[in-house]
Amino acid sequence: MKISSFSFALLVCGSTVAAFTSISMPQRQARSVVLQSTMAESGAPPATSDPSGSIPESDIPTKLPTECGMDYIPLATMLATGQLAEADQFTRDALIKISGAKGKGREFVYFTDVKNIPSTDLATIERLWQQFSGGKFGYSVQKKKWRQSKENFELFCRKIGWTTQDGDVERKLRWFGASEFIYDVKKAPEGHLPLTSALRGTSLLKKLLTHPVWDNDDWKVEP
């Protein structure tokens, strides 16, 4: 299938997560530093989302397995507090690291890098997205939509809300300037997040959706 020229790079940046009322000021400052240092590494324009409210720190998962030394607590915190734009950017930045792309001096992931992503880490990322979206978001959800679309990218984008109607013209959502993507669990279509760059074509997305971790349901098992 010939892919038309899509000038959309499903990319956004994040900012720090809102402070918790149950966390002391030094802890807030430390967490803010952690979040700032782990985000916005993809060179994308800024985008933020409104937090859904403060939650007890005890509600943030801390047992988050990784084979790459990644700290996924910031991701869990962003998702738990409804900062989906920031969580979305963190996810892409994490893929750059755990795929080995960053170690090669690149700030983006080639489709050929996907085979290097440990199933352990991808499973951790997926469980967090699933947990805090009520099963609405995640790569496994997108895989289901991809199959339902019979691997037709245009239909897939339509199903997960990556397109919009401008008069008589259907187009992809824009990320330049104010992002048109929906960072709201209640309002976004199923499978809308996380976003994957299609700037270099659809090969990266396809590889992520056919990663071996999705071959069975082992990824669903909590550590």
Side-chain angles (χ1 to χ4, degrees):
M1 177 183 70
K2 183 178 180 181
I3 304 297
S4 56
S5 57
F6 302 121
S7 332
F8 74 117
L10 313 175
L11 296 171
V12 288
C13 271
S15 60
T16 57
V17 70
F20 304 128
T21 55
S22 58
I23 302 176
S24 65
M25 183 59 70
Q27 288 174 311
R28 294 178 195 170
Q29 293 172 340
R31 173 152 291 176
S32 176
V33 171
V34 170
L35 298 186
Q36 289 184 25
S37 66
T38 54
M39 298 174 62
E41 296 182 1
S42 297
T48 58
S49 49
D50 295 326
S52 58
S54 60
I55 62 171
E57 191 172 15
S58 59
D59 288 353
I60 306 295
T62 56
K63 193 172 183 181
L64 304 170
T66 174
E67 293 181 25
C68 306
M70 281 292 297
D71 178 9
Y72 291 110
I73 292 179
L75 176 60
T77 303
M78 295 167 195
L79 289 169
T81 55
Q83 299 215 61
L84 300 183
E86 293 81 355
D88 188 46
Q89 183 62 46
F90 183 100
T91 299
R92 278 189 302 280
D93 288 344
L95 292 183
I96 293 171
K97 294 178 181 178
I98 66 179
S99 68
K102 192 170 185 65
K104 297 175 183 176
R106 280 191 276 108
E107 295 297 336
F108 53 88
V109 181
Y110 281 138
F111 72 93
T112 53
D113 296 323
V114 174
K115 64 180 181 297
N116 301 321
I117 298 176
S119 293
T120 298
D121 288 71
L122 203 51
T124 294
I125 292 170
E126 183 69 8
R127 283 194 300 271
L128 288 174
W129 275 99
Q130 289 266 308
Q131 177 180 349
F132 293 110
S133 69
K136 193 172 187 178
F137 298 146
Y139 295 115
S140 63
V141 181
Q142 292 176 352
K143 180 176 181 177
K144 180 181 70 174
K145 297 296 183 181
W146 181 250
R147 285 179 170 175
Q148 290 174 352
S149 304
K150 300 188 184 302
E151 301 186 10
N152 181 302
F153 186 63
E154 295 286 352
L155 182 56
F156 170 75
C157 288
R158 199 173 298 131
K159 277 183 175 292
I160 64 174
W162 285 0
T163 63
T164 189
Q165 200 74 23
D166 261 352
D168 296 331
V169 179
E170 183 183 58
R171 64 170 176 80
K172 303 299 182 297
L173 297 183
R174 298 191 183 106
W175 63 280
F176 290 103
S179 174
E180 293 182 328
F181 293 98
I182 306 169
Y183 302 104
D184 186 311
V185 173
K186 294 180 180 178
K187 297 178 181 178
E190 192 175 65
H192 192 70
L193 299 172
L195 306 179
T196 299
S197 173
L199 186 63
R200 298 174 178 83
T202 60
S203 295
L204 175 57
L205 177 65
K206 291 177 182 178
K207 285 295 184 181
L208 284 170
L209 300 186
T210 56
H211 189 282
V213 71
W214 317 127
D215 290 347
N216 53 57
D217 290 337
D218 289 351
W219 64 267
K220 297 180 179 180
V221 179
E222 294 289 341

